Amino acid sequence: PDLVGSTLFAANPAGRLVAIDMGSGARLWTAQDGTISTPAVAGGAIFFVSDQNELTRLDASTGEKLWSQELPLFAERRERRQKTVYAHFGPVLAGGQLWVASSDGALRSFDPVTGAATSSLEIRGGAATAPGVAGGGMYVVTKNGRLLAFR
């Protein structure tokens, strides 16, 4: 869960994201979107990677979906060879961008207002964790145990 002011945002991968007023315990809204990891809440919006493999933005006050951006899912495009499924970690807001680290070997940034992809950086070996932000840098642990730093 994520607490912003007096509103608690809680989600699960089974298809529910809710906003709860902490003063009264009343549910403010429910979205039919599950999340893979903890949502990022900022500027009146909620950003998350959904259980449908999409980077999504909701309005924090209403739960209305403002946009969603599909993320890569399979290593192979041909259905009969789709054995490897990519994992996506994040999102994290940093430097005015949304960042998602992926096991497919990419650290992707998106415009938080429109959802448009803005850049992609290589992560050799693929990501194993969500990006962490500290001291003006962004840090990602790879699947082979390396800590990468980005500025």
Side-chain angles (χ1 to χ4, degrees):
D2 202 348
L3 182 62
V4 178
S6 64
T7 305
L8 178 78
F9 299 96
N12 66 34
R16 293 287 185 275
L17 191 149
V18 298
I20 299 170
D21 180 274
M22 291 301 293
S24 67
R27 186 178 298 192
L28 303 173
W29 53 259
T30 301
Q32 304 297 316
D33 293 292
T35 65
I36 300 304
S37 58
T38 304
V41 183
I46 301 171
F47 304 97
F48 58 93
V49 175
S50 77
D51 57 351
Q52 298 301 307
N53 205 54
E54 296 174 331
L55 177 62
T56 303
R57 177 184 177 186
L58 302 182
D59 182 296
S61 61
T62 65
E64 175 188 3
K65 186 179 285 190
L66 301 175
W67 55 256
S68 63
Q69 181 70 259
E70 188 175 346
L71 298 169
L73 181 57
F74 294 108
E76 289 284 337
R77 292 193 182 269
R78 295 180 297 182
E79 258 186 67
R80 292 170 44 127
R81 296 193 176 254
Q82 293 177 342
K83 296 178 183 173
T84 303
V85 176
Y86 295 130
H88 303 284
F89 307 98
V92 171
L93 275 165
Q97 297 289 300
L98 280 172
W99 295 90
V100 176
S102 300
S103 65
D104 71 347
L107 175 63
R108 295 176 176 86
S109 67
F110 299 86
D111 181 295
V113 175
T114 66
T118 55
S119 68
S120 181
L121 304 171
E122 182 182 3
I123 299 175
R124 288 188 181 150
T129 65
V133 179
M138 184 178 321
Y139 304 90
V140 177
V141 176
T142 66
K143 291 190 293 185
N144 57 13
R146 292 185 166 210
L147 176 64
L148 303 180
F150 299 91
R151 287 202 181 263

